[in-house]
Amino acid sequence: MNKSEREQLKSRYRELWRIVDGAIRKEDPIGLLELGAPPDEYAPEVGTILPRLKSASSESELCSIIHQEFLHWFGEPTAGPETVYESIAKDIWQKYHAEKNI
């Protein structure tokens, strides 16, 4: 997914993008923001998680999706174990289901 496609996705699903991006930035699972990376550093990952979000039937499945995408973007050593993404999945899952207008 290129930058233009991400911008279209972000525009179309503004609130959902905010939820996913916010949860990932809050946890900063790779530590990039802590190292001084720009706030939109995780935009590519958000862009590939978002289309898969609606296919998740549980918080656990969402955690697996997030982990798979981080494995894709960063590789296993950097992405770490799936447990790193549990709090991100929980945050997204709760907010996603609380927002009826998404």
Side-chain angles (χ1 to χ4, degrees):
M1 176 175 288
N2 64 38
K3 187 173 181 173
S4 175
E5 291 169 325
R6 278 194 306 274
E7 288 303 317
Q8 289 175 357
L9 192 63
K10 186 176 181 178
S11 177
R12 184 173 179 197
Y13 296 104
R14 184 172 323 210
E15 194 61 23
L16 193 51
W17 182 283
R18 183 191 62 76
I19 288 169
V20 175
D21 183 57
I24 292 172
R25 287 174 45 194
K26 176 181 162 190
E27 293 297 322
D28 191 17
I30 306 299
L32 299 175
L33 301 176
E34 183 180 328
L35 293 174
D40 66 347
E41 184 66 30
Y42 291 115
E45 295 75 25
V46 174
T48 56
I49 292 167
L50 204 58
R52 299 182 64 193
L53 180 62
K54 291 186 179 189
S55 70
S57 60
S58 68
E59 186 179 305
S60 175
E61 191 173 328
L62 176 58
C63 185
S64 291
I65 289 169
I66 296 166
H67 184 238
Q68 289 166 12
E69 292 302 334
F70 272 82
L71 285 171
H72 166 78
W73 288 98
F74 295 100
E76 189 173 348
T78 302
E82 190 170 310
T83 55
V84 169
Y85 303 89
E86 289 174 350
S87 60
I88 295 170
K90 181 177 183 173
D91 190 19
I92 293 170
W93 190 258
Q94 289 174 348
K95 290 176 181 172
Y96 174 66
H97 288 286
E99 297 283 338
K100 300 297 181 192
N101 61 344
I102 296 176

